[in-house]
Amino acid sequence: MKINKVLIRGELQPRVPGAPTTVSTYSTKSTGELLELAIHADVTLEFILEDKTAWRCGQDELDLLFPLVVSDPFEIPALIEPYGIKVDSPVQFIHIHQNGSDDSRGLNLKGRQAGTAAAMATVRHPLQVSIMQGDLRFASYPLLAGHFLGDSILYAESEIDKALKGALREKHNLGIYPGEIGTTEIIISPQTTFAGAIIVGLGKPETLTSFQLANTVERGIAKYLIDLKRDLYNPGDNYDGPVGISSLIIGCGYGGLSVENAISGIILGIQYANEKIHKLFSGNAKLIEQLEFIELYEDRAVSCLYSISKLEEDVTNSYNISIEKEKKRIGMLPGSRQRIIEKTGEGWWSRITVTQSQDANTRFKSLVFNASTGSAREEQSNLFSSTQVLDQLIEDISTNNKWTPALAQTVFELLIPNAFKEQLKRQGNINWILDQDTAAYPWELLQDTTSPSAKPLCINSGMIRQMVTNNFRNRVQSVAANNALVIGDPKLFGFLPQLPGAIKEGKIVEQILHDHNFGVSTIINGSATAITEALFGNVYKIIHLAGHGSYNPEKPGETGMVIGKDIFLTSGEIAQMSSVPEFVFVNCCSLGRTQGMDNRYYQQRYKFAANIGTQLIQNGVKAVIAAGWAVSDAAALAFTEAFYKLMFNGETFGEAVKKARSKIYEEFSDTNTWGAYQCYGDPFYRFNNRSWSAQSQRSYMISQEAEIDLSNLRNQLEMGTAKDESFLQQLAEISAAVDSAGIRTARITEKEALIYADLFRYEDASEKFQALLQVEDASFSFSVMEKYLSVRSKMCYERRANFTADILLQEIGYIDSQLTILLGLGPTAERYSLVGSNYKRKAMLHEDPAEKIKACQAAAYYYQKACGIEGNTTLAYAYTNWIELEAIVNVAAARTWGTTVQFNEESYNLPSTDILQDVLRKLISTPGRKFDYWQMINNANVHCCNWILDACRDKQFSTHDAVFKSYNDVWKKAESKGKKMVVINHLEFLTNILSSAGIAQAEEVDKLRVRLAELV
């Protein structure tokens, strides 16, 4: 929103008669006050906006408050001009305050908080806030997320898009996706596994503030609540509880906001939306009552908890939130992850915006640098070095094709403001956001030191460019077909020398594209007519140009690829193509100067790359590579070949460029070709038809890195979203990297064993457990003994095809003796249940029906003991196993419920049918919005238990469809193979024992097992 001018007119009735009103302006670029003026007259401020609307900050207009975004100087006219005031600042907030008044209104964030807190408190109870750590697909409510202007669908948005079956990308590809502050897209999902998403525009990353975040969240949530009021969708099937919103911590990282500022902006935005909707519908509308923050990583979730607790304790009650005491913790969802804090920046691209000042009257033009920080502000610095000095240095680099560490450091010192030098020296990935002036500088050549071991910044870290431009196609017609055009060394008829290197390059690129199923049109030594006809006669996803390039600022028509005598292929021709390619590689290099040739073909080549890169991005190309000056034949060929192979191997644009640059830097150290390529586009862009991407070579410095990777892998396994082969491959890579680095610990081996067990690979798990028990440093958890014995017991049953029953029963007996030792150390519900499970396997291994029932009675006894342990967190599992086993034994032994049972020297009471049904009913929970795996699986187990009870009573089974649905509903959410196999093996046990007990139609249980096994 841009303000053309601010007018002061009319009257404002003061709350305190006679008290002066102060008008102040503040800037996000400075903590100081730019203007403070006491006006003793009663006034109304009216802001005239660029879109011809007017918002007034008057006595009762508490909700019509917006930031004033000013890009050009504006004047406060007429009434205030005698004070000689002019305001020149990019962003202004106006704060109106009357001395002695309780009413502090304003367009600054604090003013609005204080001004509306009392009003919000009357609207509803405090907003209930919770924090969950895990995968966003388990959000309890529609998920609130943000999208920066001009970005692709990345990171969390990409995961949301997968959950919504590609709905976000469809909107994005059509150009109807949020970007600007205040824009919103709401997609409510009809599926039960994901509630949907509310995407709000975040504007440009370098300009996002907590206030703007609150503004855009307010509009998005208000739209959602209005749609709810209109019954456009329901907050949830079979759910009539409070309306809620799940939210990511929007604006951190890329947006430069701290966790606390991001959270405060989201909370205030929701509160403002509630306030407006309450007022709009006179209290007759649903409002947001529950806010659930979801964070994947543990460290960020902890920061979120601390920040929310701090906001809850705010003495002004500006946020009006509450966290229930029993919920003042981080809830866990499937898929949660940990990370090494120092490594959190890996794969992330810091944005540094560089623009040239508009002051044309000074000799020293200013370059304005902006970079996002970890706080709620953006650092800015102005550089006043002489651009003439810089231009000369850069022209020397381009014209003479020379690069030295000393020259690179000189350019670094002159081109980078002191405040930004340390940030660049940290050597993280950099995304330069440039205008048409600053794009002309070769940022890729920078080096911060002349130390012998030092390398240029673009070699040690990723470096990609993006263009700030107002000229772009509103709708881009993309190319679906895998077609490519390769032009190599056009026929110039002596106008310029031919380039054998360009011919070789064209043929290599053609072969790579062919190998990846592209239809390739290749023109080598072609005429201008043939090239033009090929360019417009078909549509292409990829265009590769290799030949001479020209830059002539006085004649734009002579800036482009030379395709004939005085004939040039410019971006203007490409702009005329109705369909726009995704990727263009412009390797227009000039490899030597001949006598009498026009210097314009060799000077200011870096500006040629900037020019053609700018034009292609404006046309809608997703990524562009353009050579900025003459390059070495061999080095250019190596870069091109490496880049295409990396892209087709699944690398992102940013990573492929980084690795290709590094390759030619190491192999061709006598040339600066590695810095010649100016790469524009999205660092995360990929070729869609890439081949299978191998995982990057893993390497570790310390054992904690591997331990975290293993923990994350196991958490991902709980999601059940990938095939076993993928997890096994990742596990093998981690293990190999651990052994290569020599950092193996007991904790690492323990985690490997648990992952193998979760994957139902009991042989591998047992091998790891055995190795673990032999290490001198026994720094593993005591639960390893329980897990190991459980795996050995399961392995006995899996080996039944290769070993006799007697051998396996001996092993079962040994496991029972070891579990008895553990029970002697301390009886727990887990250990009693393990003994019960071991007896179930003993029952299946026996062939004698009497021995089977005897083992079942022993298993029932131990599950009954587990149910008696206070604080048993798996009561439903133990209770359903106990009741099912007792039901089978009752049939076989002609016992009845409510009688006393003797086992060895101990007796216990069987519950009556009324009591056991009452317990089973209590174990069933009504589904809520929050995902709770154990609650859902408990319900399925109880459903199965009732089905078995009915069959044992009636001596026949009803259809298994309802039980199948109970388990399937859980497995659609999340479940590892190991946990699924627990259910399937239990059904196999039931089939085996029920048949032995003489219960008719036990095959119905086996049908259920087979059906569920198909889902594994």
Side-chain angles (χ1 to χ4, degrees):
M1 221 179 290
K2 182 187 289 187
I3 304 302
N4 289 336
K5 51 176 60 176
V6 177
L7 304 177
I8 297 181
R9 59 171 69 151
E11 293 185 353
L12 172 66
Q13 298 297 326
R15 295 291 179 92
V16 182
T21 298
T22 301
V23 180
S24 304
T25 67
Y26 300 91
S27 170
T28 57
K29 309 298 183 186
S30 170
T31 57
E33 187 175 284
L34 298 178
L35 166 68
E36 184 170 301
L37 173 68
I39 303 176
H40 293 277
D42 299 333
V43 298
T44 292
L45 291 184
E46 186 172 316
F47 307 115
I48 309 300
L49 308 185
E50 188 177 49
D51 60 1
K52 307 303 180 186
T53 63
W55 296 97
R56 186 177 61 204
C57 183
Q59 186 173 0
D60 297 316
E61 306 282 344
L62 294 178
D63 56 344
L64 302 179
L65 306 173
F66 292 88
L68 309 180
V69 182
V70 183
S71 59
D72 299 315
F74 70 90
E75 298 183 10
I76 300 179
L79 190 58
I80 304 182
E81 278 183 352
Y83 291 88
I85 297 166
K86 270 191 178 181
V87 180
D88 182 358
S89 179
V91 180
Q92 295 291 326
F93 293 106
I94 307 300
H95 176 213
I96 308 165
H97 177 67
Q98 186 180 25
N99 296 350
S101 172
D102 291 331
D103 178 23
S104 176
R105 5 228 163 97
L107 301 179
N108 67 325
L109 195 56
K110 295 293 283 186
R112 182 165 182 182
Q113 288 174 245
T116 60
M120 286 190 294
T122 63
V123 173
R124 69 207 183 294
H125 297 297
L127 185 66
Q128 298 295 322
V129 182
S130 60
I131 305 99
M132 305 296 290
Q133 183 196 347
D135 194 278
L136 57 80
R137 281 171 286 184
F138 298 94
S140 303
Y141 310 101
L143 184 63
L144 181 66
H147 182 81
F148 287 109
L149 186 65
D151 268 358
S152 298
I153 305 295
L154 307 171
Y155 291 119
E157 271 185 284
S158 180
E159 295 303 314
I160 295 172
D161 183 62
K162 291 177 186 176
L164 292 173
K165 313 296 185 185
L168 300 190
R169 292 187 192 277
E170 289 175 358
K171 301 278 187 180
H172 188 272
N173 291 339
L174 290 171
I176 53 175
Y177 200 72
E180 298 283 0
I181 294 290
T183 54
T184 303
E185 181 63 49
I186 301 175
I187 301 176
I188 301 302
S189 172
Q191 57 184 312
T192 59
T193 54
F194 187 68
I198 301 172
I199 310 296
V200 296
L202 301 177
K204 297 179 180 178
E206 60 270 21
T207 63
L208 181 66
T209 66
S210 184
F211 186 94
Q212 289 176 309
L213 178 59
N215 188 342
T216 198
V217 168
E218 173 185 349
R219 298 187 188 194
I221 296 299
K223 184 178 186 301
Y224 173 65
L225 291 175
I226 289 173
D227 289 348
L228 276 183
K229 176 67 176 175
R230 295 172 177 169
D231 292 328
L232 296 186
Y233 35 71
N234 204 297
D237 293 335
N238 303 318
Y239 178 76
D240 57 0
V243 177
I245 285 291
S246 299
S247 178
L248 303 178
I249 307 176
I250 304 169
C252 291
Y254 229 12
L257 298 182
S258 66
V259 171
E260 184 173 339
N261 282 318
I263 288 171
S264 67
I266 293 166
I267 290 174
L268 287 171
I270 293 173
Q271 299 283 35
Y272 299 157
N274 276 344
E275 177 192 346
K276 280 189 173 182
I277 298 303
H278 178 80
K279 183 176 179 180
L280 179 65
F281 294 103
S282 301
N284 186 27
K286 292 180 178 180
L287 304 177
I288 303 299
E289 299 178 49
Q290 301 279 343
L291 171 59
E292 172 190 72
F293 283 103
I294 291 187
E295 175 52 47
L296 182 63
Y297 288 101
E298 182 183 56
D299 60 290
R300 186 68 68 81
V302 171
S303 296
C304 181
L305 178 61
Y306 283 132
S307 297
I308 291 174
S309 298
K310 184 177 178 181
L311 296 179
E312 183 189 27
E313 296 166 2
D314 181 44
V315 294
T316 65
N317 195 31
S318 301
Y319 299 94
N320 195 26
I321 63 173
S322 174
I323 311 175
E324 296 179 22
K325 287 186 178 180
E326 61 270 19
K327 293 184 179 179
K328 192 170 282 189
R329 59 181 177 81
I330 299 172
M332 300 305 296
L333 295 172
S336 60
R337 297 185 190 178
Q338 297 173 308
R339 58 185 175 182
I340 298 288
I341 301 299
E342 287 75 11
K343 294 182 68 176
T344 57
E346 288 192 1
W348 193 257
W349 292 73
S350 299
R351 295 194 179 205
I352 299 180
T353 302
V354 190
T355 57
Q356 186 166 286
S357 69
Q358 300 300 312
D359 189 353
N361 298 323
T362 178
R363 177 184 176 189
F364 296 95
K365 295 181 180 179
S366 171
L367 298 183
V368 182
F369 285 71
N370 290 279
S372 296
T373 68
S375 63
R377 62 188 173 85
E378 180 185 272
E379 290 184 351
Q380 175 177 311
S381 184
N382 287 48
L383 181 75
F384 293 98
S385 295
S386 169
T387 54
Q388 287 88 340
V389 173
L390 283 170
D391 288 345
Q392 186 58 54
L393 287 171
I394 294 166
E395 187 172 343
D396 287 343
I397 295 173
S398 175
T399 303
N400 299 324
N401 194 17
K402 292 180 179 179
W403 180 90
T404 64
L407 183 57
Q409 184 179 7
T410 300
V411 175
F412 176 84
E413 294 294 338
L414 289 173
L415 189 58
I416 305 300
N418 291 328
F420 283 77
K421 287 176 181 175
E422 285 303 316
Q423 180 174 346
L424 288 175
K425 289 180 180 180
R426 296 189 194 112
Q427 299 185 344
N429 293 334
I430 300 170
N431 192 2
W432 294 103
I433 313 298
L434 309 170
D435 63 15
Q436 295 192 25
D437 294 308
T438 57
Y441 294 101
W443 305 97
E444 293 76 11
L445 292 180
L446 299 180
Q447 182 167 315
D448 63 317
T449 177
T450 56
S451 144
S453 60
K455 294 180 180 179
L457 297 179
C458 75
I459 301 302
N460 283 327
S461 57
M463 191 172 288
I464 295 295
R465 298 175 171 217
Q466 286 185 336
M467 190 67 61
V468 177
T469 177
N470 293 321
N471 300 317
F472 55 87
R473 290 188 182 183
N474 290 322
R475 299 193 64 174
V476 175
Q477 184 177 343
S478 58
V479 177
N482 288 333
N483 293 331
L485 173 63
V486 178
I487 298 174
D489 190 32
K491 193 71 173 177
L492 302 181
F493 303 100
F495 179 60
L496 288 173
Q498 298 300 139
L499 301 173
I503 297 175
K504 187 175 181 181
E505 177 183 320
K507 292 180 178 179
I508 287 178
V509 172
E510 176 189 25
Q511 187 60 52
I512 293 173
L513 292 168
H514 269 307
D515 291 343
H516 291 87
N517 302 316
F518 266 74
V520 187
S521 300
T522 305
I523 301 179
I524 303 295
N525 287 145
S527 66
T529 300
I531 291 171
T532 305
E533 182 180 350
L535 188 64
F536 288 93
N538 201 348
V539 295
Y540 306 100
K541 185 174 287 187
I542 294 175
I543 295 178
H544 187 94
L545 310 175
H548 280 292
S550 164
Y551 175 74
N552 187 344
E554 296 180 358
K555 296 181 179 180
E558 296 182 8
T559 294
M561 182 181 188
V562 185
I563 59 174
K565 185 175 181 180
D566 287 322
I567 303 174
F568 305 87
L569 177 63
T570 71
S571 299
E573 279 74 48
I574 295 178
Q576 288 300 112
M577 299 168 65
S578 57
S579 297
V580 178
E582 277 191 7
F583 173 71
V584 179
F585 195 141
V586 188
N587 210 359
C588 290
C589 48
S590 131
L591 302 179
R593 183 186 302 184
T594 59
Q595 186 67 31
M597 293 177 60
D598 195 327
N599 286 342
R600 75 175 184 270
Y601 295 106
Y602 303 98
Q603 293 179 344
Q604 297 182 313
R605 294 299 309 283
Y606 57 92
K607 291 185 179 180
F608 156 75
N611 174 274
I612 198 166
T614 301
Q615 292 300 317
L616 289 168
I617 291 296
Q618 288 176 351
N619 294 343
V621 175
K622 292 182 178 179
V624 176
I625 296 180
W629 52 82
V631 295
S632 157
D633 257 353
L637 193 59
F639 177 88
T640 303
E641 186 172 8
F643 170 79
Y644 276 109
K645 287 182 177 180
L646 287 163
M647 288 294 288
F648 279 115
N649 200 37
E651 292 286 2
T652 62
F653 182 56
E655 281 300 309
V657 168
K658 175 184 173 182
K659 291 177 180 179
R661 279 178 178 152
S662 180
K663 174 182 174 64
I664 62 173
Y665 177 84
E666 298 296 338
E667 296 179 3
F668 301 92
S669 57
D670 58 339
T671 177
N672 65 348
T673 298
W674 49 266
Y677 294 107
Q678 298 177 7
C679 306
Y680 292 85
D682 177 0
F684 305 102
Y685 164 69
R686 281 187 169 99
F687 288 169
N688 287 331
N689 63 323
R690 61 188 183 277
S691 58
W692 174 255
S693 174
Q695 291 284 335
S696 300
Q697 187 69 34
R698 293 181 188 266
S699 62
Y700 298 116
M701 297 288 291
I702 57 177
S703 61
Q704 287 88 338
E705 293 178 284
E707 290 172 22
I708 286 175
D709 278 356
L710 288 167
S711 294
N712 291 340
L713 182 61
R714 193 176 182 210
N715 287 337
Q716 291 174 43
L717 190 58
E718 295 291 332
M719 303 278 293
T721 54
K723 294 182 179 179
D724 288 357
E725 291 75 14
S726 173
F727 291 115
L728 287 170
Q729 179 184 348
Q730 293 181 65
L731 179 57
E733 290 169 355
I734 294 171
S735 299
V738 165
D739 293 332
S740 175
I743 56 171
R744 178 166 292 281
T745 65
R747 290 189 182 90
I748 288 176
T749 304
E750 177 183 351
K751 292 177 184 294
E752 290 171 331
L754 294 174
I755 291 172
Y756 277 126
D758 287 343
L759 287 168
F760 203 61
R761 298 178 69 91
Y762 296 135
E763 298 280 354
D764 294 323
S766 178
E767 184 179 332
K768 287 290 182 180
F769 280 128
Q770 289 176 23
L772 190 61
L773 295 176
Q774 295 172 10
V775 299
E776 293 293 334
D777 177 20
S779 57
F780 48 82
S781 63
F782 189 75
S783 65
V784 160
M785 299 304 300
E786 299 172 352
K787 298 288 194 306
Y788 175 44
L789 292 173
S790 175
V791 164
R792 283 187 66 170
S793 179
K794 293 173 182 176
M795 197 164 56
C796 277
Y797 185 70
E798 296 301 319
R799 287 176 165 179
R800 64 192 183 280
N802 301 318
F803 294 86
T804 64
D806 289 341
I807 293 175
L808 296 175
L809 285 169
Q810 287 179 9
E811 173 71 1
I812 288 288
Y814 172 77
I815 294 168
D816 180 61
S817 68
Q818 298 302 302
L819 288 170
T820 302
I821 293 173
L822 289 181
L823 280 171
L825 294 175
T828 67
E830 174 68 13
R831 291 168 193 169
Y832 277 126
S833 292
L834 287 175
V835 177
S837 297
N838 195 49
Y839 271 105
K840 283 168 61 178
R841 296 183 188 96
K842 183 177 182 179
M844 285 193 288
L845 290 170
H846 271 297
E847 295 182 2
D848 183 358
E851 290 296 328
K852 285 180 181 288
I853 297 302
K854 184 178 177 180
C856 286
Q857 188 171 359
Y861 166 78
Y862 283 105
Y863 280 119
Q864 172 266 146
K865 295 289 286 185
C867 293
I869 297 295
E870 187 177 354
N872 183 357
T873 57
T874 58
L875 178 60
Y877 166 78
Y879 193 83
T880 53
N881 268 273
W882 174 39
I883 296 302
E884 288 172 6
L885 286 162
E886 295 287 9
I888 294 170
V889 174
N890 283 352
V891 172
R895 298 185 323 192
T896 59
W897 294 105
T899 59
T900 300
V901 174
Q902 189 76 24
F903 180 77
N904 292 339
E905 297 179 358
E906 188 175 339
S907 62
Y908 62 94
N909 296 322
L910 291 180
S912 66
T913 54
D914 290 340
I915 291 176
L916 73 85
Q917 286 296 337
D918 184 59
V919 173
L920 289 173
R921 277 193 297 271
K922 290 179 179 177
L923 290 175
I924 295 178
S925 303
T926 302
R929 292 296 303 187
K930 292 187 181 298
F931 175 81
D932 187 330
Y933 166 76
W934 289 112
Q935 174 186 305
M936 295 180 68
I937 200 67
N938 286 348
N939 291 353
N941 287 337
V942 170
H943 200 160
C944 182
C945 183
N946 279 317
W947 186 53
I948 298 297
L949 284 172
D950 292 343
C952 289
R953 181 194 64 212
D954 302 334
K955 299 298 182 66
Q956 64 179 4
F957 275 94
S958 60
T959 177
H960 65 267
D961 291 341
V963 182
F964 172 81
K965 183 179 184 303
S966 294
Y967 284 113
N968 189 38
D969 287 346
V970 184
W971 293 1
K972 283 192 298 185
K973 278 278 191 177
E975 187 62 290
S976 67
K977 179 178 179 179
K979 287 184 178 177
K980 289 178 180 178
M981 291 305 299
V982 168
V983 174
I984 291 170
N985 287 343
H986 179 62
L987 293 173
E988 187 174 6
F989 161 78
L990 289 174
T991 303
N992 183 298
I993 302 304
L994 287 167
S995 299
S996 299
I999 298 177
Q1001 294 183 353
E1003 63 269 16
E1004 188 69 20
V1005 181
D1006 196 53
K1007 290 179 183 178
L1008 172 61
R1009 179 194 63 81
V1010 171
R1011 215 174 147 191
L1012 286 174
E1014 293 173 353
L1015 303 178
V1016 176

